[in-house]
Amino acid sequence: PAKLQSLVKTYSEFINFPIKVWGEKTVPKEVVDVEATEKAREEAKKKAEEEGKEPEEVKEVMKTEYENVPDWIVQNENKPIWIRNPKEVSKEEYNGYFKTTFRE
């Protein structure tokens, strides 16, 4: 898949329609942090005992984990520079276009 992705990216960078390749995407996912939640509950319990009150309900502590998910990935996200307004195209984009097209 990596070789195919690099070939598609190299030779179809400025094609007008999107080309997608099946690959893996890293997606953030919110999950409960059990250790941090337990620690917060213990601290709330300790504080409540010191004050002589009932412990308050503690919200679960969330953390972000990243998961690899198979999905279609667009390989040619650049719009062709000859379709865009010349004032919107930066010098780096022109140089990148000529490097990839003419191998300079």
Side-chain angles (χ1 to χ4, degrees):
K3 180 70 172 174
L4 179 62
Q5 286 177 344
S6 72
L7 287 172
V8 168
K9 199 168 203 86
T10 302
Y11 294 108
S12 66
E13 186 173 359
F14 296 104
I15 291 180
N16 223 359
F17 56 90
I19 296 177
K20 298 179 181 182
V21 176
W22 188 253
E24 285 193 347
K25 229 184 228 186
T26 304
V27 179
K29 182 179 173 184
E30 291 288 320
V31 294
V32 177
D33 188 350
V34 177
E35 294 174 4
T37 303
E38 284 299 317
K39 185 176 180 183
R41 285 184 180 147
E42 287 176 18
E43 288 175 3
K45 186 177 178 182
K46 211 181 263 188
K47 185 177 179 182
E49 287 176 359
E50 289 175 2
E51 296 174 356
K53 297 180 181 177
E54 284 288 318
E56 295 179 14
E57 185 64 33
V58 177
K59 288 185 178 179
E60 293 180 329
V61 179
M62 303 300 279
K63 67 179 178 180
T64 304
E65 288 185 353
Y66 294 93
E67 181 177 35
N68 289 333
V69 178
D71 196 9
W72 291 103
I73 302 169
V74 177
Q75 296 298 306
N76 58 340
E77 295 179 8
N78 294 338
K79 218 173 144 183
I81 62 172
W82 57 88
I83 292 178
R84 296 166 42 194
N85 185 351
K87 294 176 183 174
E88 294 176 358
V89 180
S90 69
K91 187 148 179 85
E92 292 83 28
E93 288 174 315
Y94 273 121
N95 291 338
Y97 168 73
F98 284 108
K99 281 182 183 178
T100 57
T101 305
F102 302 111
R103 308 284 183 255
E104 291 182 4

